Amino acid sequence: DQLLLVAIAICFCYGWVIFWTCSCDESTKPAATAAALKAPAPTKAAGPKPSTFLLATVLTSPGDSTLRTVIRDTWMRLSAKGKDTVTVIFPMGTGGLGPEELERLAKEQTEHGDLALIDNLYEHYSNLTRKTLATMVYAYEHHDFRFLLKVDSDSFVRLGALLKSLRDVAHPLLYWGFLDGRAKPIRKGKWKESEWILCDRYLPYQLGGGYVLSYDLVEYLGRSARLFKIYKNEDVAVGAWLAGIDVKYVHDPRFDTEFRSRGCSNQYLITHKKTPAEMLQLYNNVVSTQRLCEKEFQVRGSYVYDWSGAPSECCHRANSSNIP
């Protein structure tokens, strides 16, 4: 009887060990597999950040390689300054991309080295505000610069002229572009701002076709990104995020950066809503004649921002040829 009890005890112990070992193996295998499949977290490059005076960020989508080629072959060539003066990058999200798309981007990056690939950001028009904010975070974490230009992919930039003018308006808290202070919130359509409750108008903001921010403002946006409310319109959102800061607003009619172009003026520093063919023509104009336009024209009025009254009274358009 005693031998039988000892045998039973030994069998019980072995059975328990086998059960426990198998259970542990089964619980760790899925975790190990998931860890193997999960992409590694991005790491910051060793050494100092690349330094430049102006970091130009052009928002394109992963599939826009042809458009990026047009930009590289046109306005990006309008400054002879090196990367210590101006650096151009193309931020884009890689979330949800397949192997073939990632391979194409890798080849483009090998050839040009100007893509800013942002993990966990999904490309979609409804994500534009998140993309703009992610661009500010990326710029702050990966580059050393004095000013940042955010520009749309369908905007043409007179890069040399912009750099020259920037030195004239430079300020540690600069927010430079075409300022609007009287716009009413969009209440229907794909750009509907259903969560805008701050005021019956948008807070003053620089129009989204292109604007310039100082490093200090980009640093503030980058450090505070997780705290911001995400509005539908990225330019409206940036204006709201900066509204409580001691910002140096500079309104400049030479920024033709509204939802549609006001025409063509040889004074423009940035002009928005241009097709690739139009961008090539503007580039050829500047190179061959040192003027932007074959012929100047105006399709809608511009304005000089009126700081003397309420923001809603800021922006009365005047069809004057003296205002670009």
Side-chain angles (χ1 to χ4, degrees):
D1 291 344
Q2 192 172 10
L3 291 174
L4 180 61
L5 289 174
V6 171
I8 292 172
I10 292 173
C11 289
F12 177 78
C13 290
Y14 274 111
W16 178 254
V17 169
I18 292 170
F19 171 79
W20 181 254
T21 303
C22 291
S23 298
C24 290
D25 285 345
E26 290 303 314
S27 64
T28 56
K29 281 180 182 178
T33 302
L37 293 176
K38 184 178 179 182
T43 56
K44 295 180 181 178
K49 302 175 186 177
S51 180
T52 190
F53 177 74
L54 176 66
L55 179 66
T57 62
V58 188
L59 271 59
T60 65
S61 298
D64 290 338
S65 60
T66 301
L67 182 55
R68 288 189 288 275
T69 297
V70 171
I71 293 170
R72 293 184 188 108
D73 290 343
T74 58
W75 65 259
M76 277 180 60
R77 297 186 175 188
L78 293 179
S79 172
K81 304 292 186 181
K83 287 193 173 184
D84 58 337
T85 298
V86 58
T87 297
V88 182
I89 61 174
F90 296 92
M92 67 192 73
T94 59
L97 296 185
E100 291 184 2
E101 293 172 296
L102 292 173
E103 185 178 354
R104 283 196 294 269
L105 290 177
K107 290 180 179 178
E108 185 177 352
Q109 182 74 315
T110 299
E111 183 176 358
H112 299 285
D114 54 11
L115 305 185
L117 304 177
I118 304 174
D119 296 333
N120 302 318
L121 175 67
Y122 289 77
E123 289 283 347
H124 193 268
Y125 75 85
S126 63
N127 252 4
L128 183 56
T129 300
R130 294 184 188 278
K131 180 174 181 176
T132 299
L133 186 56
T135 295
M136 303 299 173
V137 174
Y138 182 95
Y140 163 66
E141 290 183 345
H142 292 83
H143 291 268
D144 181 18
F145 55 92
R146 286 189 60 190
F147 298 96
L148 178 144
L149 167 67
K150 177 269 169 183
V151 66
D152 285 350
S153 59
D154 58 351
S155 291
F156 183 90
V157 184
R158 286 176 58 214
L159 196 54
L162 181 81
L163 284 165
K164 182 178 179 180
S165 295
L166 176 53
R167 296 187 185 277
D168 295 334
V169 298
H171 186 278
L173 296 173
L174 180 67
Y175 184 25
W176 180 34
F178 194 84
L179 190 65
D180 194 348
R182 52 86 178 99
K184 293 183 178 180
I186 299 171
R187 294 306 187 189
K188 58 183 179 180
K190 73 176 184 178
W191 301 114
K192 176 182 178 181
E193 291 285 5
S194 57
E195 297 190 35
W196 181 269
I197 58 173
L198 297 179
C199 184
D200 59 349
R201 296 177 187 265
Y202 291 136
L203 303 180
Y205 67 98
Q206 304 287 12
L207 275 295
Y211 50 83
V212 173
L213 295 166
S214 69
Y215 173 84
D216 285 350
L217 294 184
V218 176
E219 179 185 21
Y220 165 73
L221 294 173
R223 287 181 176 273
S224 308
R226 66 183 181 84
L227 302 177
F228 292 134
K229 190 173 185 67
I230 302 298
Y231 296 105
K232 199 76 168 181
N233 298 273
E234 65 86 14
D235 48 4
V236 168
V238 172
W241 297 334
L242 296 176
I245 308 301
D246 187 19
V247 168
K248 175 66 174 179
Y249 293 98
V250 176
H251 173 79
D252 196 330
R254 294 177 298 172
F255 282 62
D256 175 37
T257 49
E258 297 176 83
F259 68 96
R260 59 188 175 96
S261 174
R262 299 191 303 274
C264 193
S265 168
N266 289 323
Q267 298 182 59
Y268 285 160
L269 299 176
I270 302 176
T271 183
H272 194 206
K273 296 297 183 182
K274 302 303 175 190
T275 66
E278 289 172 327
M279 294 176 76
L280 181 58
Q281 183 61 60
L282 292 172
Y283 171 74
N284 289 333
N285 292 345
V286 173
V287 170
S288 60
T289 70
Q290 285 72 57
R291 293 189 299 272
L292 185 68
C293 313
E294 291 181 282
K295 182 179 181 180
E296 292 184 299
F297 64 95
Q298 188 179 66
V299 295
R300 57 200 299 256
S302 184
Y303 56 82
V304 174
Y305 200 95
D306 183 0
W307 297 100
S308 63
S312 59
E313 298 298 319
C314 66
C315 311
H316 296 292
R317 296 185 186 274
N319 292 314
S320 168
S321 60
N322 295 325
I323 307 175

